[in-house]
Amino acid sequence: MKNPKRNNKIPFIALFLIHSGLLGYTFYKSKNKKQLFTLLMSNIGFAYLLEFFVLNLLKAYKYKPKIMKSNYFDNILGAILSQAIFVPFTAVFSTSLKLGWIRKFLLGGIYFSLVELFFLKLKVYKHYWWRTKYTLILIPLYFKISDWWSIFLSRKNPIIRFISLFLMIMVTEANLLFVFASARKIRFGLGKHHSWTEHFIIVPIYAISISIFSTLSLLKQNNWGSKIRILVISMVIDQIFKKRKIVKEKFKVADYYTVRILVILLYGKYRDWVYGTGNNGEEELDLINE
């Protein structure tokens, strides 16, 4: 008797290996790996923001990788594989190789449309109101945005650098919250009973709030004062959500602060990769304000 759970995993694992190979080759050939990583995280951030509206709010489609026991988490995991690995990895590969519009359309539009149709046939993916023609049009455009983003990063554009740092932090926060939620350590919602539908609508708001304050705190300077400010802000935001009974947590205090301190240190690294180790952020903040 066939194991449907195992069969559903196979196409996702196959794509994971293919696109990881593309990304590995891209990093191997890249001379500026920090900028490439910044571009990758920015691309993932764009995909997450789109997915928030298309999947979380508007229920355009459903993934069925059959990897997680909960159908809701399984759907979100499928979205993460798609929006954090399959599409962004390929976009970075396309940008790095400087592919033209025709190749972008073939690699982005045609390839991902065929993958989508194949997934539909295998019944590991389901459309509600989404149509494959949207994929055909939007993926090449997404690849082109990746190209433009890379150019502006190379030119050290202040707005692009600021948004890139924000997206890097947001992606990390969102992934971390998914891990915590899947381990039943945290759940967002309204009222006494917090549904997973509510959770995955509120999570992006929480992650965006933390990310905006973290980015602003690190922008002028990456020092201990900035990091402590982020920790305090995180505590304040957590308390606001708790007071309003929007979040339920099962963390030990020591575990929570250990994780929070580690990610804040990581955000400091992100800041250095985007801006360098100097204080360029303060000058660029003035440019943004102007």
Side-chain angles (χ1 to χ4, degrees):
M1 189 173 181
K2 291 183 179 180
N3 186 340
K5 180 181 288 188
R6 183 177 61 191
N7 289 343
N8 278 34
K9 292 178 184 178
I10 291 174
F12 288 92
I13 293 172
L15 282 188
F16 174 81
L17 293 175
I18 290 169
H19 294 280
S20 294
L22 290 179
L23 185 69
Y25 174 79
T26 305
F27 269 95
Y28 173 74
K29 298 292 289 184
S30 174
K31 294 180 180 178
N32 191 342
K33 291 178 172 55
K34 291 178 181 178
Q35 181 175 305
L36 188 66
F37 180 77
T38 301
L39 175 65
L40 172 64
M41 292 289 278
S42 298
N43 283 344
I44 295 172
F46 289 135
Y48 274 16
L49 289 173
L50 178 64
E51 200 77 327
F52 170 61
F53 292 100
V54 175
L55 178 69
N56 293 19
L57 293 179
L58 302 178
K59 312 294 183 185
Y61 38 68
K62 183 178 182 180
Y63 295 93
K64 303 176 183 179
K66 296 295 182 182
I67 296 172
M68 305 192 75
K69 292 181 180 179
S70 166
N71 289 333
Y72 210 103
F73 277 93
D74 202 52
N75 181 30
I76 298 298
L77 178 61
I80 290 172
L81 289 171
S82 177
Q83 305 305 330
I85 296 175
F86 305 157
V87 178
F89 283 20
T90 313
V92 169
F93 173 79
S94 169
T95 296
S96 180
L97 266 63
K98 300 180 180 179
L99 301 183
W101 263 111
I102 294 177
R103 291 185 180 180
K104 276 182 175 28
F105 183 72
L106 292 173
L107 181 62
I110 299 297
Y111 167 71
F112 277 106
S113 294
L114 291 174
V115 167
E116 188 170 296
L117 292 171
F118 183 59
F119 272 39
L120 288 168
K121 186 174 182 179
L122 292 177
K123 297 183 179 180
V124 299
Y125 173 72
K126 180 181 179 180
H127 280 169
Y128 291 117
W129 59 263
W130 189 262
R131 296 294 179 266
T132 303
K133 62 184 178 182
Y134 304 154
T135 301
L136 183 67
I137 295 169
L138 292 176
I139 296 294
L141 179 60
Y142 173 80
F143 281 16
K144 194 62 183 177
I145 292 172
S146 176
D147 291 349
W148 293 331
W149 208 261
S150 179
I151 291 170
F152 285 119
L153 280 174
S154 298
R155 293 176 181 174
K156 300 181 179 181
N157 182 278
I159 296 176
I160 298 302
R161 285 171 126 185
F162 177 84
I163 298 174
S164 295
L165 180 57
F166 160 74
L167 290 172
M168 293 169 79
I169 296 174
M170 185 197 73
V171 167
T172 306
E173 285 287 337
N175 289 343
L176 192 62
L177 288 168
F178 177 78
V179 172
F180 288 157
S182 61
R184 302 301 193 270
K185 294 293 184 182
I186 192 169
R187 184 186 288 205
F188 292 86
L190 301 172
K192 291 184 178 181
H193 177 70
H194 292 181
S195 70
W196 288 119
T197 300
E198 292 174 342
H199 172 87
F200 285 106
I201 290 175
I202 297 173
V203 156
I205 298 171
Y206 178 88
I208 288 170
S209 300
I210 293 286
S211 303
I212 289 174
F213 284 116
S214 298
T215 304
L216 291 171
S217 295
L218 287 169
L219 191 59
K220 287 187 176 182
Q221 199 171 30
N222 178 21
N223 55 20
W224 284 109
S226 301
K227 294 181 177 68
I228 292 171
R229 190 159 55 245
I230 295 172
L231 181 61
V232 172
I233 290 169
S234 301
M235 292 167 59
V236 170
I237 293 175
D238 283 338
Q239 287 303 312
I240 291 173
F241 275 73
K242 287 179 182 178
K243 288 288 185 182
R244 296 185 177 276
K245 297 181 179 180
I246 298 174
V247 63
K248 295 178 181 179
E249 296 179 355
K250 295 181 180 179
F251 291 109
K252 292 181 179 178
V253 175
D255 293 341
Y256 172 81
Y257 285 110
T258 298
V259 173
R260 181 50 59 189
I261 289 169
L262 287 174
V263 295
I264 289 172
L265 293 174
L266 178 61
Y267 298 160
K269 284 291 184 183
Y270 288 168
R271 193 268 184 196
D272 288 345
W273 292 345
V274 174
Y275 289 102
T277 56
N279 295 327
N280 296 335
E282 187 170 0
E283 298 173 7
E284 298 196 8
L285 179 60
D286 293 336
L287 290 172
I288 292 172
N289 291 335
E290 290 176 4

